[in-house]
Amino acid sequence: MNKPVFRALLILLVIAFPVVAQIKEQNVRAQLGFLASDAMQGRGSGTTYERIAAEYIGSQFRQFGLEPAGDTDSAGAKTFVQRVPLQSGFTWNAIGVLRGTDPSGQAIMLSAHLDHLGVNEALTGEDKIFNGADDNASGCVAVLELARVLAAGKRPRRTVYFICFGSEEKRGLGSRHFIDNPPAPLTQIVANLNFEMLGRPDTKIPPGMLWLTGFERSTLGPELARRRASLVADPRPEQRFFQRSDNYPLALQGVIAHTISSFGLHTDYHRPSDDLSKIDFPFMTRSLNSLVKPIQWLANSTFRPAWLPGQAPTR
Ligand SMILES: [Zn+2]
């Protein structure tokens, strides 16, 4: 085959089958290694360490080429961090935007909470730091690495918001503030995928899979699974996980919002032993990679997920 024909064919192939960047295990290890390190002192809600986590995530968003959507600083520049006043002190959200090409402003939202339980000096054992490797440094890493690969690709049709919330462990104060002060009208957000505790496989579901809360409530989960996301229904609906994470206040506002997890009720939950050494990095990387193409499809499609009859959550 002569060279010009070969080159033309190659170009056609790249256009027809754009190469989708993959999430790399070394990046997952690096991000989680920092967020769940002892140095981060368990990212306690409303503490300086939570703020450092938000600033770190914001700096990563900047590195990936996202637009800032947090507060404006004293020099008038937009930042990636949104400061949220609490009764006493503050909590912090990190927000980055991959702007879509569609003028209608339709958007999807990928989120996770960045805080955890901090340090408890009163504990008798030697380990007083709640590192929160699975809860929820793993969810933050999912948002970070999806931001990296989506921002590396072609600009999507829909805008993608990447958000890490503060103070989820304190009644979800970061996400509540975000809902009251959204960067775009909530009616424009066609779907929210919230990531929570997906660093360890759940033995109650098939190997390599993740589960989605409220899978039976809307058309979103089944459609992503149809597009080969490693996603099944939450195997423990009696635990009411759908109502227990940052997707819920959004769902109550009408946004199709679900949480992705693989939490198998391990005994390190909310203990200092929720450490890096317990994370299954090959599992986490592989299952996250199964979401890249379906989420990219969702960001480029006109598909609008909807609640099934009688399944929209109400107060
Ligand atoms: Zn959590």
Side-chain angles (χ1 to χ4, degrees):
M1 194 189 295
N2 71 30
K3 248 191 176 169
V5 174
F6 177 72
R7 203 176 296 130
L9 200 65
L10 205 61
I11 291 166
L12 276 177
L13 280 175
V14 169
I15 293 167
F17 305 101
V19 176
V20 179
Q22 289 289 294
I23 293 175
K24 295 195 180 101
E25 186 177 320
Q26 71 196 50
N27 292 334
V28 173
R29 283 179 183 275
Q31 304 281 24
L32 225 152
F34 174 74
L35 289 167
S37 64
D38 283 355
M40 288 302 287
Q41 295 282 288
R43 309 180 307 280
S45 313
T47 68
T48 303
Y49 296 99
E50 185 198 51
R51 183 179 182 181
I52 294 170
E55 292 289 349
Y56 170 76
I57 290 167
S59 75
Q60 294 290 299
F61 285 164
R62 189 182 291 282
Q63 186 183 205
F64 304 150
L66 301 187
E67 275 177 37
D71 298 337
T72 302
D73 67 14
S74 52
K78 200 80 174 154
T79 74
F80 286 89
V81 175
Q82 181 182 51
R83 190 175 72 156
V84 179
L86 302 180
Q87 266 173 352
S88 69
F90 300 95
T91 191
W92 293 269
N93 297 332
I95 312 172
V97 187
L98 180 58
R99 195 65 60 190
T101 55
D102 182 350
S104 77
Q106 272 191 6
I108 67 170
M109 195 177 128
L110 307 181
S111 62
H113 76 89
L114 55 82
D115 65 309
H116 195 47
L117 304 175
V119 176
N120 182 352
E121 293 299 346
L123 288 179
T124 47
E126 208 174 296
D127 188 358
K128 320 240 183 230
I129 302 174
F130 291 78
N131 298 72
D134 197 24
D135 187 8
N136 190 32
S138 68
C140 293
V141 173
V143 171
L144 283 167
E145 290 310 309
L146 285 165
R148 188 199 300 267
V149 295
L150 292 178
K154 203 164 139 267
R155 213 139 73 83
R157 196 182 78 83
R158 289 171 165 158
T159 290
V160 188
Y161 290 101
F162 300 89
I163 304 161
C164 292
F165 296 119
S167 289
E168 186 268 355
E169 306 286 5
K170 288 227 167 105
R171 294 178 297 111
L173 294 170
S175 64
R176 284 165 201 267
H177 179 85
F178 173 85
I179 288 167
D180 297 337
N181 307 275
L186 294 181
T187 48
Q188 285 183 343
I189 300 178
V190 300
N192 163 231
L193 290 170
N194 186 56
F195 296 87
E196 173 82 62
M197 301 181 72
L198 33 81
R200 302 161 66 162
D202 183 352
T203 53
K204 207 168 179 184
I205 58 174
M209 303 299 275
L210 302 165
W211 47 260
L212 185 99
T213 62
F215 191 94
E216 67 297 339
R217 285 175 176 265
S218 86
T219 56
L220 181 59
E223 190 61 37
L224 294 175
R226 219 169 61 76
R227 292 174 184 275
R228 306 223 182 132
S230 301
L231 214 49
V232 294
D234 168 6
R236 299 176 193 82
E238 74 287 353
Q239 290 281 338
R240 295 172 55 78
F241 286 128
F242 180 75
Q243 289 86 347
R244 286 170 54 187
S245 194
D246 287 317
N247 65 293
Y248 193 54
L250 272 164
L252 287 171
Q253 300 277 332
V255 177
I256 308 295
H258 301 263
T259 288
I260 293 180
S261 182
S262 62
F263 177 44
L265 304 185
H266 58 69
T267 54
D268 300 306
Y269 176 65
H270 281 199
R271 293 199 171 154
S273 53
D274 176 5
D275 286 327
L276 274 171
S277 59
K278 308 274 172 64
I279 299 293
D280 181 337
F281 287 100
F283 158 76
M284 191 174 160
T285 308
R286 214 176 20 249
S287 55
L288 280 179
N289 266 316
S290 82
L291 302 176
V292 172
K293 276 193 179 161
I295 291 176
Q296 204 171 36
W297 165 81
L298 183 64
N300 284 297
S301 82
T302 55
F303 168 75
R304 210 178 167 122
W307 299 115
L308 294 172
Q311 294 294 338
T314 51
R315 283 185 200 281

